[in-house]
Amino acid sequence: MRIRDHRADDEPEINLVPMIDVILVLIIFFVVTTTFDARSVIKLELPKATGEQTEATQPLVVLVNAEGRYFVDDREVLRTDIGALKATIAEVAGNDRDRPVMLRADARTPYQAVVTVYDALGQLGFNRVMSATAPIGEGSGAVP
């Protein structure tokens, strides 16, 4: 009777499927848990001015970047027309028209975009509007 040795048939192999699964789970975990900071995305170069800095409690912040795109608090206005801007401001601000508004426009912003923001705020009934500027002594004026 001949007895066969099965030890020679067992060749070691590396199964990569579980390792790929673990790597994909780690990638998904890091993507989901990463915090996104809106201030790091939008770089503004504020115009220079002298004057006192005003402290207000939780103003509504309207950003206008150099391309003329609008951002109300952390929400981007998808279109650049006054109707879309008014709808977004009204949605974010709610019924509080006494809330102060901080307008932060890039120094390279087209003037029409700034006038559109003032027009939209005026039509909605906001009367406490502040314009953010950088002190004249600062070098670059870039604000994160």
Side-chain angles (χ1 to χ4, degrees):
M1 176 181 205
R2 187 170 173 184
I3 299 175
R4 188 168 176 201
D5 186 13
H6 291 286
R7 286 183 285 175
D9 294 341
D10 292 335
E11 293 186 24
E13 65 180 53
I14 298 175
N15 192 355
L16 295 178
V17 174
M19 185 176 70
I20 293 172
D21 289 342
V22 169
I23 290 173
L24 286 175
V25 167
L26 287 175
I27 289 173
I28 291 172
F29 172 79
F30 286 121
V31 167
V32 169
T33 60
T34 302
T35 58
F36 296 101
D37 192 7
R39 292 181 300 174
S40 65
V41 175
I42 305 168
K43 300 288 185 189
L44 295 179
E45 183 179 326
L46 294 176
K48 310 273 190 273
T50 58
E52 295 181 17
Q53 183 175 3
T54 311
E55 292 295 324
T57 58
Q58 295 295 347
L60 177 69
V61 179
V62 179
L63 294 168
V64 185
N65 67 5
E67 291 83 31
R69 301 290 311 204
Y70 303 111
F71 300 87
V72 180
D73 279 345
D74 292 332
R75 297 183 56 190
E76 181 177 3
V77 180
L78 298 179
R79 296 186 323 258
T80 58
D81 62 312
I82 193 168
L85 179 61
K86 283 173 47 177
T88 306
I89 292 172
E91 185 177 328
V92 171
N95 294 329
D96 186 14
R97 298 298 186 247
D98 292 329
R99 185 175 177 185
V101 178
M102 174 67 72
L103 174 59
R104 299 182 71 179
D106 194 291
R108 301 163 295 185
T109 301
Y111 190 63
Q112 180 59 51
V114 176
V115 171
T116 302
V117 173
Y118 280 121
D119 190 23
L121 291 170
Q123 289 178 16
L124 289 172
F126 289 95
N127 55 9
R128 296 177 57 196
V129 181
M130 303 172 280
S131 296
T133 59
I136 290 179
E138 277 190 20
S140 68
V143 175

